[in-house]
Amino acid sequence: MRSFVWFALVAATLSNAAPSKLSALKVKEEIAHPRGWVKSHPAPADAIIELRIALPQSNFEELERHLYEVSDPFHTRYGQHLSKAEVEALVAPHPESIHVVNEWLASHGLYEHELTRSPAKDWVRVSVPVGLAEKMMDAEYHVWVNDKDGDTIIRTTKYSVPEDVHDHIELIQPTTLFSNLRGMDTTFRFTDADANVQQVSPNVPPISVPSASGGKVDASCNQTITVSCIRELYNAVGFTPSGKDGNQIGITGYLEQFANIADLQLFFADQVPAALNSTFKFISVKGGLNNQSIEAAGAEANLDTQFAFGLTHPTPATFFSTAGRPPFIPSVGSPTNTNEPYTDWLDFVLSQRTIPQTISTSYADSEQTVPVSFARRACNGFAQLGARGVSLTFSSGDGGVGDGDPDPATQECFSNDGRNITRFDPLFPPSCPFVTSVGGTIHIPETAVDFSGGGFSNVFPRPSYQDVAVKGFLNKLPKGTYAGLFNPDGRAIPDVAAQADLFRIFLSGRAVSIGGTSAAAPTFAAIISLLNDARLSKKQKPLGFLNPLIYALAREHPKAFNDITVGNNPGCGTPGFNATKGWDAITGVGTPNFGVLKELVTSGF
């Protein structure tokens, strides 16, 4: 405790110190002209942007060691997750970094009362006019226009900081971040769901699936996926969570996607009658809304919340709505948020003492549009949540081995580094090794769905927990397959899979059918939440960061996951990767068998 007090006193003292003369500016980051964006006019000098400054996390390697120890089912520390204070102590910057960055900001008239710091002091946020940002960083901000959707943002392709400040700043944004966060629902698959339901004859015999509950799945599930279908297929029939053992589940919402409560009640009446009149806790992040007008209902938000909360009722549920989305519209005024909003969500949730043990996200973007420095830093934020015992699932994408765009005609698979060479394009954050990436299947018996995102990161190296499984897959590939199109040493995605198409949800008062790995991620998250409930009911710890456990169980207990061996995920003008025995780059280790998993995770494996 004494060291924390000393740290606070030093930081407070240095923040008020008179600025000293700083060294000459040196380029911190520079990128090529970003693909898909057109430079327009110079940004208005008086437009306000919020600079996010990342200070080096002094002991992240130690936090990573803790994370892997508490997440390894064969380690003596398994389940002994860190506290909020312990995590913050490990990522706190060195006092010298705080001092040096404070001096630099003060030299431009920015003092402590104008700054906002993260709880660990590793992020500093300050709102400044574009003109001042350009002076501080020797940068030229312009309005950039996305050539697909016309969205506009303020960015620069190069920025600098004083040379003696370089080692005390990891990155500053918004500068070189040209990503375009999107939801993963494949909206072109919308159909009227009622027609599908009526086509199924009650006389059709159930489908035989040995790993399913009772070995059978209702035949209607081959045309329409409901909560009952998921429970039958993944062997979860008959399990009802406590709802009172402290277990929680959360869904994140971005880009003005609102979860409609009236639609949720229609869904409950249709598929989970016991849940009627129950709802979720709404948490606004940075002014996020949850507009309840019928016209504002979001397909992504409704899909995620209806299935995640329907499968886990009566587990307390939370919907996080994070405000902020590009574009900046010059004719309207200054932007209110020019950062990717999931970092705002990370800021918020890391500051909370109590966090849902399972959280699912169905939003991502092409990995290559995210600067490496930013991707690594955001990924470190997910690691902090894992160390605190939170399981994070992300949709792997809906573009096969491509950039997430489900339409082959508009899918771009060219490198974003100025070379414009053909390259498979995985998505971030699913490519972060500290989250669980969920691919997709279809039909019963299950096959890989063709749009399921999969492949290999060009930013993150393959983590050790994947070595055996992924090397086995690579060794099966014919020599020279897609040589140069992917990084065989990269973090491989997805980790697991779940059903991802023909989901029956309610949207704006009517039943519709929808697909996408945005269906798979909350479905898999719901199964994890049920497993957490089983553990918490026995006074055991939540599962936390899942991946070391997933790969260990897939290796030691093959029946824990249903191996998918049929299908492929075309993209970038290729057939993509094939599903095969063991791990593959379309369905991971397979889909969950809840009954087997429950016995394993509650009995010490």
Side-chain angles (χ1 to χ4, degrees), residues 507-544:
L507 179 66
S508 300
R510 70 185 185 98
V512 299
S513 180
I514 186 172
T517 53
S518 56
T523 296
F524 189 85
I527 297 297
I528 295 303
S529 183
L530 296 180
L531 294 173
N532 273 334
D533 185 88
R535 283 179 61 84
L536 290 169
S537 292
K538 289 191 171 187
K539 309 301 181 185
Q540 297 171 325
K541 300 293 185 180
L543 295 173

Side-chain angles (χ1 to χ4, degrees), residues 23 142 164 271 273 306 329 367 384 419 443 502 546 578:
S23 59
H142 282 75
D164 54 9
Q271 299 186 34
Q306 287 174 19
I329 305 174
E367 182 186 70
Q384 293 174 58
R419 297 181 297 165
H443 297 146
L502 306 175
L546 297 170
N578 290 323

Side-chain angles (χ1 to χ4, degrees), residues 168-237:
H168 301 285
I169 287 178
E170 283 192 359
L171 63 100
I172 302 174
Q173 291 294 348
T175 50
T176 57
L177 178 60
F178 282 83
S179 65
N180 191 19
L181 190 69
R182 73 193 87 170
M184 289 295 105
D185 61 279
T186 55
T187 53
F188 67 91
R189 296 176 186 271
F190 274 72
T191 57
D192 190 315
D194 288 332
N196 287 341
V197 173
Q198 293 167 4
Q199 289 173 5
V200 180
S201 168
N203 298 320
V204 176
I207 305 165
S208 178
V209 181
S211 61
S213 298
K216 305 288 184 181
V217 179
D218 193 277
S220 66
C221 299
N222 249 332
Q223 296 190 37
T224 303
I225 293 295
T226 63
V227 166
S228 294
C229 293
I230 297 298
R231 286 176 175 158
E232 289 180 2
L233 180 60
Y234 296 144
N235 196 14
V237 172

Side-chain angles (χ1 to χ4, degrees), residues 479-521:
K479 191 174 182 180
T481 301
Y482 304 143
L485 293 184
F486 73 96
N487 171 25
D489 298 319
R491 185 276 201 265
I493 59 174
D495 300 298
V496 292
Q499 285 281 312
D501 207 356
L502 306 175
F503 276 56
R504 176 179 171 86
I505 69 165
F506 282 78
L507 179 66
S508 300
R510 70 185 185 98
V512 299
S513 180
I514 186 172
T517 53
S518 56

